[in-house]
Amino acid sequence: MLCTLMLSAPHPFSLILFGASGHLASIKLYPALYILALKKRLPENFAIVGYSRSDFDDTSFRKLVTDSVKEHMEAVNDKILEEFVSHFFYQQGTYDDLAAFQAMEKRIKELEKKWKDPVRLAYYSVPPGVYSSISEHLCESGIHSDALPVRTIVEKPVGGDLKSFESIKKKLLDSIGEENIYLLDHYLGKEAVRNVYYLRHANPILERLFKNTLISHVEITAAESSGLEGRAGYFDHTGTFRDMFQSHLLMIASLLTMRLIETDESFVHARADALKQFFLPPSSDLSDVALQAQYARGQVNGETVEGYLDEDDVSSDSRTNTYAALKLRSRTSRWDGVGFYLRSGKRMKLKETRISVAFQEPRKIGEGTTPNRLDVILQGEAGMRFHLQTKLGGEEPKFRPLLLSDPLVCFGDCLPEHGTLLLEAIHGKKQWFLTFEEVQLAWRLMDPIQTYFDQKSTPLPEYKAGSMGPDEADAWIGRDGISWFA
Ligand code: BG6
């Protein structure tokens, strides 16, 4: 079943936020929750209990939330914000401190005392290393029980490779249970990303164009202009490849290629099936030269502005990639033979997430004909552009570009991605959360490349901040006779 939007939280709820003083909470979660309050999508009774090691009490925590909202929103309604933060509470503790969990349990019980059918949730905005400890303590303290299960939201990436993922998965399943786990990739909360699937559904002509007899290749780019913004602790052992490809880019590719489902079919199964079809183009030659033909990567240098090695808390000899590119193929008959070129990088020329579907060369009937292309720009200057061509006046058939475009602005019920996903978790709707199967498939695909990247001998070309990545990545795609768009 496809979920309908315009959701509001149906029941009173309490949400425990682990990592309450962290970066994600400040820049994304508090502003998203505030927007839900502003749009009257939260119930009268709800409580958000921040948990972290930092030294706060309710008052100073509410100030942190107020400041975060003000910093990340263009305008705020002070009255609504004041009422909103009165629902926030704080519990200090480490993630293995049972006494702190027990104190939190008492507090939550007290808050929920007069509520009817409350829903409990926990959001793990913390490194995967502490997931098990948190899950066990949620059980031991009685916060999570069969009678009142905690819907547990876990941020991507789940683990750092297939092995660590399997171990986290086991611990989560043993303590919390699969039905209560919501694996969150915030790209799946973005309207523009969901639209990749719906555009195909609503436009049968597009769906007919999307096949290997017409398409030459597909480019999926997620360019970021920003750097680490204080997240070296997470990023330096993760890198762009794990951070952006394992979930965000593969999910976009899956939504583009998954079969359109009938109402009684499972959406998430169809999405996982599409992911299952992707493979790295086979190469019988496993030499470094051959491997370099499949993937490219790079690190932003400090030639003109602050480079990666100048970022706070990054060691001067770090070999973490801040750029990566990858070529995939799909086994489905519809996409057979079409190359999918994925790339992402930090500190690039612009912030833009884009799918470009390149069609095959037209027959040469005159000057100026170039292949048709459909760009779906999901972020940045969002829009959809169909590149066609039209004849110039004159006897000779000469052509000029013709661009059909629309800004693809979200109309209707547009919420920030974390707000949408939180509301869906409160409703128990899982369609736009990842499944364990999808995460497992993604790690399977990524692991061999990551292993190659981890070798000291693997080249790590530099690129200039403000560019579109290393020259080597241009040469890499050039070997297939194509180039990146823009
Ligand atoms: C996160 C990554 O998942 O996505 C970040 O951890 C990245 O490194 C971010 O910057 C990009 O998200 P968005 O929504 O800004 O494209």
Side-chain angles (χ1 to χ4, degrees):
M1 271 290 286
L2 303 177
C3 71
T4 49
L5 287 181
M6 282 303 281
L7 295 181
S8 292
H11 298 290
F13 69 89
S14 36
L15 166 66
I16 305 167
L17 183 49
F18 293 103
S21 56
H23 183 260
L24 180 85
S26 292
I27 67 162
K28 296 278 191 182
L29 301 181
Y30 301 141
L33 283 160
Y34 165 75
I35 292 174
L36 294 183
L38 188 69
K39 296 200 168 194
K40 304 194 183 343
R41 308 296 278 276
L42 297 178
E44 190 188 343
N45 294 314
F46 71 95
I48 295 170
V49 183
Y51 188 107
S52 80
R53 289 168 300 185
S54 309
D55 184 17
F56 287 107
D57 57 17
D58 288 352
T59 309
S60 51
F61 180 50
R62 286 173 188 177
K63 175 157 180 352
L64 170 101
V65 176
T66 305
D67 292 346
S68 303
V69 172
K70 287 193 168 164
E71 192 184 333
H72 296 102
M73 301 281 312
E74 273 174 21
V76 294
N77 177 319
D78 287 324
K79 210 165 145 227
I80 292 176
L81 182 57
E82 199 182 324
E83 201 284 325
F84 168 68
V85 296
S86 71
H87 294 264
F88 281 70
F89 305 88
Y90 189 73
Q91 174 67 51
Q92 185 189 14
T94 55
Y95 298 110
D96 55 359
D97 179 355
L98 182 58
F101 277 74
Q102 285 165 336
M104 181 159 65
E105 193 268 340
K106 274 207 187 100
R107 189 124 202 233
I108 293 174
K109 222 192 237 162
E110 183 59 32
L111 288 164
E112 291 174 344
K113 210 164 59 188
K114 295 194 178 134
W115 299 354
K116 191 171 177 300
D117 301 331
V119 172
R120 279 188 186 171
L121 301 107
Y123 197 118
Y124 292 9
S125 178
V126 284
V130 294
Y131 289 176
S132 323
S133 168
I134 293 179
S135 308
E136 278 160 24
H137 286 78
L138 283 175
C139 297
E140 277 177 50
S141 61
I143 295 176
H144 171 78
S145 65
D146 288 343
L148 203 38
V150 172
R151 293 192 185 145
T152 302
I153 302 168
V154 177
E155 274 276 339
K156 63 102 303 247
V158 188
D161 55 18
L162 185 60
K163 193 165 165 223
S164 54
F165 159 73
E166 293 292 1
S167 138
I168 293 170
K169 173 183 162 192
K170 182 168 181 339
K171 286 178 183 147
L172 285 172
L173 292 183
D174 289 351
S175 46
I176 304 291
E178 186 160 10
E179 66 284 12
N180 299 311
I181 295 171
Y182 292 70
L183 303 174
L184 183 142
D185 169 345
H186 76 281
Y187 269 49
L188 289 181
K190 292 179 190 280
E191 278 298 334
V193 172
R194 295 181 177 191
N195 198 23
V196 171
Y197 174 79
Y198 289 109
L199 270 175
R200 295 172 41 217
H201 235 312
N203 297 289
I205 56 160
L206 278 190
E207 192 53 9
R208 285 186 193 167
L209 292 180
F210 283 3
K211 46 168 61 157
N212 56 359
T213 45
L214 293 173
I215 290 177
S216 121
H217 67 278
V218 174
E219 173 189 318
I220 302 180
T221 285
E224 294 193 82
S225 48
S226 56
L228 293 200
E229 299 177 319
R231 294 166 70 227
Y234 157 74
F235 189 86
D236 199 39
H237 62 84
T238 306
T240 287
F241 186 62
R242 282 195 187 99
D243 188 38
M244 295 296 290
F245 287 63
Q246 187 271 338
S247 191
H248 301 331
L249 295 193
L250 287 182
M251 276 299 111
I252 293 175
S254 301
L255 291 170
L256 184 71
T257 57
M258 69 184 272
R259 63 178 183 274
L260 300 180
I261 60 156
E262 302 300 327
T263 41
D264 55 349
E265 257 189 289
S266 159
F267 181 87
V268 288
H269 283 154
R271 199 175 61 206
D273 280 349
L275 181 56
K276 205 180 284 169
Q277 300 306 323
F278 282 111
F279 66 100
L280 305 168
S283 164
S284 51
D285 177 3
L286 289 178
S287 67
D288 280 1
V289 175
L291 283 168
Q292 279 164 37
Q294 313 294 343
Y295 340 111
R297 65 170 195 163
Q299 190 183 70
V300 64
N301 71 23
E303 213 172 276
T304 41
V305 291
E306 192 185 50
Y308 183 65
L309 300 182
D310 307 316
E311 296 258 15
D312 289 344
D313 304 322
V314 170
S315 67
S316 58
D317 58 353
S318 169
R319 284 182 42 83
T320 301
N321 59 77
T322 61
Y323 173 99
L326 165 71
K327 178 165 76 178
L328 291 174
R329 287 268 168 82
S330 167
R331 285 188 198 89
T332 51
S333 52
R334 173 184 274 257
W335 294 98
D336 184 27
V338 174
F340 289 78
Y341 295 83
L342 279 48
R343 71 171 165 168
S344 180
K346 297 259 183 223
R347 281 196 182 276
M348 291 173 75
K349 190 168 82 191
L350 75 178
K351 168 82 181 166
E352 182 174 276
T353 309
R354 167 175 46 82
I355 303 173
S356 291
V357 178
F359 293 92
Q360 292 172 358
E361 286 282 344
R363 237 169 12 102
K364 284 276 174 232
I365 52 163
E367 269 176 43
T369 50
T370 49
N372 297 137
R373 185 169 104 223
L374 179 70
D375 294 328
V376 185
I377 299 150
L378 309 170
Q379 301 198 101
E381 283 195 24
M384 189 153 146
R385 293 177 207 147
F386 206 172
H387 299 250
L388 305 168
Q389 39 242 317
T390 183
K391 189 182 159 305
L392 289 168
E395 214 172 297
E396 294 293 312
K398 291 185 181 171
F399 296 86
R400 69 170 175 85
L402 170 70
L403 196 63
L404 300 183
S405 69
D406 185 279
L408 264 198
V409 175
C410 177
F411 285 106
D413 186 31
C414 305
L415 293 174
E417 56 262 21
H418 286 90
T420 300
L421 290 165
L422 275 167
L423 277 185
E424 289 172 359
I426 296 170
H427 273 258
K429 286 180 180 282
K430 285 186 140 181
Q431 176 180 331
W432 292 102
F433 288 87
L434 299 166
T435 59
F436 279 112
E437 184 192 8
E438 286 173 308
V439 182
Q440 185 189 52
L441 288 166
W443 282 128
R444 260 197 209 134
L445 208 50
M446 304 279 101
D447 263 8
I449 310 165
Q450 188 62 51
T451 307
Y452 168 66
F453 280 0
D454 287 344
Q455 289 166 21
K456 286 223 162 57
S457 56
T458 305
L460 183 62
E462 293 186 356
Y463 61 100
K464 276 196 201 133
S467 71
M468 281 307 275
D471 293 344
E472 286 78 353
D474 297 345
W476 168 79
I477 197 169
R479 287 197 280 274
D480 286 356
I482 52 175
S483 47
W484 300 110
F485 296 112

